[in-house]
């Protein structure tokens, strides 16, 4: 798939105020600082479409971008940002959970994980929650350019073994680097494949 056009549409904290035209939505989520905005900018080939920040916790809204006038790319708030305080974390958790559970247009969720880190409890719990609620999702490992090939393979093996403890069948898995422009085409092809089947 080639993205010819990507436009910001609307930001919300309430899924009910999101666009009502029933176009399929592909949402991106991950812990703060996982490289979500950089990945979105790489996918759309627009440098400043999603705001990147060295400071975690920047995205606090549901952001909709219309792609090729056919589907929405949705940038969800990062979860688990400790410095937000308990009330802030709860508010973001509610925004995220309401959107994921109630938004009928949500077609697939891309969960971003930093390939440099061991499996984190917060991510594993989120993956379990997605499974329990039958949410269609894919896993996207980010920042693979920061690791040697052997280290990346080691980390992936550890992660997949951990997931296999509770999952018989794993969701689709992608490996990406926004800096090295790796993995974007595969994600876009996957989205196109889903859209063709709708």
């Amino acid at each position: 798939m080639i993205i010819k056009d990507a436009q910001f549409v609307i930001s919300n904290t309430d899924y009910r105020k999101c666009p009502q035209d029933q176009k399929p939505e592909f949402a991106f989520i991950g812990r703060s600082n996982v490289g979500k905005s950089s990945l979105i900018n790489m996918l759309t080939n627009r440098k400043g479409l999603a705001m990147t920040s060295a400071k975690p916790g920047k995205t606090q809204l549901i952001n909709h971008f219309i792609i090729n006038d056919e589907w929405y790319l949705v940038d969800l708030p990062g979860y688990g940002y400790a410095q937000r305080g308990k009330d802030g974390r709860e508010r973001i958790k509610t925004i995220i959970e309401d959107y994921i559970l109630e938004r009928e247009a949500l077609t697939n969720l891309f969960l971003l994980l930093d390939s440099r880190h061991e499996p984190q409890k917060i991510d594993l719990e989120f993956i379990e929650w997605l499974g329990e609620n039958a949410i269609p999702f894919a896993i996207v490992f980010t920042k693979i350019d920061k690791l040697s090939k052997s280290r990346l393979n080691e980390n992936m093996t550890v992660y997949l073994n951990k997931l296999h403890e509770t999952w018989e069948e794993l969701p689709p898995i992608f490996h990406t680097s926004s800096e090295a422009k790796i993995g974007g085409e595969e994600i876009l092809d996957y989205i196109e494949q889903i859209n063709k089947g709708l």
Side-chain angles (χ1 to χ4, degrees):
M1 178 201 301
I2 294 166
I3 291 187
K4 299 186 190 81
D5 190 48
Q7 303 284 339
F8 170 75
V9 179
I10 195 166
S11 290
N12 275 303
T13 55
D14 185 345
Y15 73 94
R16 287 166 295 206
K17 293 178 183 167
C18 293
Q20 298 298 321
D21 55 10
Q22 303 308 308
K23 286 185 168 76
E25 295 182 4
F26 294 85
F28 289 74
I29 194 167
R31 273 185 310 131
S32 297
N33 242 8
V34 75
K36 183 163 50 74
S37 299
S38 299
L39 180 73
I40 289 169
N41 291 337
M42 177 184 81
L43 290 174
T44 57
N45 207 15
R46 304 287 189 285
K47 212 167 187 176
L49 193 71
M51 293 302 289
T52 57
S53 168
K55 191 178 176 214
K58 187 86 176 146
T59 311
Q60 302 194 23
L61 300 164
I62 304 166
N63 297 306
H64 275 71
F65 303 91
I66 184 78
I67 307 296
N68 294 346
D69 208 30
E70 291 168 359
W71 55 277
Y72 288 104
L73 187 157
V74 183
D75 183 8
L76 292 175
Y79 56 83
Y81 178 46
Q83 278 172 272
R84 233 181 229 132
K86 193 166 187 294
D87 288 351
R89 281 201 306 274
E90 282 304 314
R91 190 171 56 81
I92 295 290
K93 187 169 182 268
T94 302
I95 292 169
I96 292 168
E97 289 186 0
D98 283 355
Y99 172 84
I100 290 173
L101 294 177
E102 306 296 340
R103 185 72 177 157
E104 285 178 20
L106 175 61
T107 305
N108 194 78
L109 183 74
F110 290 94
L111 171 62
L112 277 57
L113 303 171
D114 191 327
S115 63
R116 300 171 298 177
H117 301 315
E118 290 181 0
Q120 306 283 311
K121 184 169 179 269
I122 189 168
D123 291 325
L124 295 170
E125 285 174 353
F126 190 70
I127 289 169
E128 286 306 307
W129 180 79
L130 292 174
E132 284 162 11
N133 288 286
I135 305 298
F137 75 102
I139 291 173
V140 179
F141 284 103
T142 62
K143 306 185 184 186
I144 65 166
D145 60 304
K146 310 288 186 204
L147 295 167
S148 68
K149 205 158 188 182
S150 60
R151 186 61 205 271
L152 178 66
N153 288 338
E154 274 174 40
N155 285 14
M156 292 303 99
T157 303
V158 169
Y159 225 111
L160 298 184
N161 287 344
K162 188 73 188 165
L163 291 173
H164 274 302
E165 288 175 16
T166 45
W167 289 77
E168 275 179 36
E169 196 181 329
L170 295 180
I173 291 172
F174 299 92
H175 299 95
T176 66
S177 161
S178 301
E179 275 186 30
K181 304 273 189 286
I182 297 168
E185 275 181 43
E186 289 81 355
I187 291 174
L188 291 175
D189 287 349
Y190 181 64
I191 291 172
E192 187 172 40
Q193 188 188 320
I194 292 173
N195 281 338
K196 279 180 177 165
L198 292 176

